[in-house]
Amino acid sequence: KNQVEQSPQSLIILEGKNCTLQCNYTVSPFSNLRWYKQDTGRGPVSLTIMTFSENTKSNGRYTATLDADTKQSSLHITASQLSDSASYICVVSSDLAGNNRKLIWGLGTSLAVNP
Amino acid sequence: DGGITQSPKYLFRKEGQNVTLSCEQNLNHDAMYWYRQDPGQGLRLIYYSQIVNDFQKGDIAEGYSVSREKKESFPLTVTSAQKNPTAFYLCASSLTGISYEQYFGPGTRLTVT
């Protein structure tokens, strides 16, 4: 069964600290993996998209890694800011038969950055 | 200023009434999507459209209907047949196809009592 599991479910850190969020997937066949940031009551905003051949991708203070062999990804946030408080969602795109594609969404990690 | 707009932000309806949620984009994207988000669940695809006058059911299409008469617009109607319509509804668009990056609107929170 195609699944995307994220950990931890929630996380509280102090402003200025770093943190790493995890995403494990069992999706096959794999097309790409995305990380989204979703503020409460708002739509998700894309942070990174990674294909099979990409190991690391950065977007400012956000760095995503992908290990396609172990089917694991991580999102590292450096020098956290209060505005980083949000839900971070991992999404995997799968190329199905007949040129169909499907997105499998994780449940997200809720991050709270406290002053 | 390009982007996706959804209106209204909050919507209240009585049970048994149909309601239409608006979604407009000026990104010149071919594909548009409707998702539903419930607490403790990942986003679930309701309908998607890859081209004008064509759309396909997603994973949870029952009780919903859509139209795609213009490239810029993809309204979603929540019908009285939808058993649990109260949710946060998100519209998205992408250049073409589901593998491409999706851009989301701000969402509409629908409450049915």
Side-chain angles (χ1 to χ4, degrees):
Chain A
K1 181 181 178 183
N2 287 328
Q3 282 187 315
V4 174
E5 296 184 347
Q6 294 187 243
S7 62
Q9 186 175 4
S10 62
L11 183 62
I12 302 173
I13 62 173
L14 291 176
E15 185 179 11
K17 297 297 185 183
N18 303 337
C19 67
T20 300
L21 314 180
Q22 299 290 341
C23 174
N24 296 339
Y25 60 93
T26 58
V27 177
S28 181
F30 174 90
S31 176
N32 60 57
L33 183 145
R34 316 161 188 206
W35 283 95
Y36 281 91
K37 177 188 179 186
Q38 185 177 21
D39 292 321
T40 301
R42 309 287 292 272
V45 174
S46 178
L47 296 175
T48 64
I49 297 180
M50 301 178 73
T51 60
F52 184 88
S53 59
E54 295 175 297
N55 300 120
T56 303
K57 204 161 192 178
S58 293
N59 178 0
R61 293 180 297 102
Y62 301 101
T63 299
T65 65
L66 175 64
D67 186 334
D69 292 331
T70 62
K71 298 188 176 181
Q72 295 180 326
S73 176
S74 66
L75 181 69
H76 186 75
I77 304 175
T78 303
S80 61
Q81 301 176 358
L82 297 179
S83 59
D84 291 332
S85 296
S87 179
Y88 292 84
I89 307 173
C90 176
V91 189
V92 179
S93 174
S94 180
D95 284 346
L96 305 175
N99 204 31
N100 290 320
R101 293 185 172 88
K102 188 177 177 68
L103 293 182
I104 297 91
W105 292 78
L107 299 186
T109 291
S110 179
L111 174 65
V113 180
N114 290 341
Chain B
D1 189 21
I4 302 179
T5 57
Q6 292 184 242
S7 60
K9 179 69 174 175
Y10 299 95
L11 192 53
F12 299 88
R13 279 295 183 270
K14 294 291 187 184
E15 193 173 319
Q17 292 179 336
N18 292 353
V19 59
T20 297
L21 282 58
S22 168
C23 177
E24 303 277 334
Q25 56 98 359
N26 61 4
L27 299 169
N28 200 31
H29 285 169
D30 288 314
M32 296 187 74
Y33 314 83
W34 274 105
Y35 290 91
R36 171 182 173 140
Q37 189 174 34
D38 296 283
Q41 298 196 43
L43 270 68
R44 291 184 290 170
L45 183 64
I46 303 172
Y47 267 100
Y48 66 100
S49 167
Q50 299 196 70
I51 196 169
V52 173
N53 291 323
D54 187 45
F55 47 83
Q56 286 78 42
K57 293 182 179 180
D59 299 319
I60 55 165
E62 185 176 349
Y64 300 97
S65 66
V66 293
S67 63
R68 187 86 187 277
E69 298 176 1
K70 298 187 300 181
K71 187 175 184 178
E72 301 80 17
S73 179
F74 191 41
L76 173 75
T77 297
V78 184
T79 74
S80 56
Q82 167 51 232
K83 301 300 181 189
N84 297 295
T86 295
F88 188 50
Y89 290 88
L90 287 159
C91 179
S93 71
S94 67
L95 273 172
T96 178
I98 210 163
S99 280
Y100 289 84
E101 181 175 355
Q102 294 187 2
Y103 295 81
F104 284 83
T108 292
R109 186 165 299 279
L110 172 65
T111 302
V112 177
T113 57

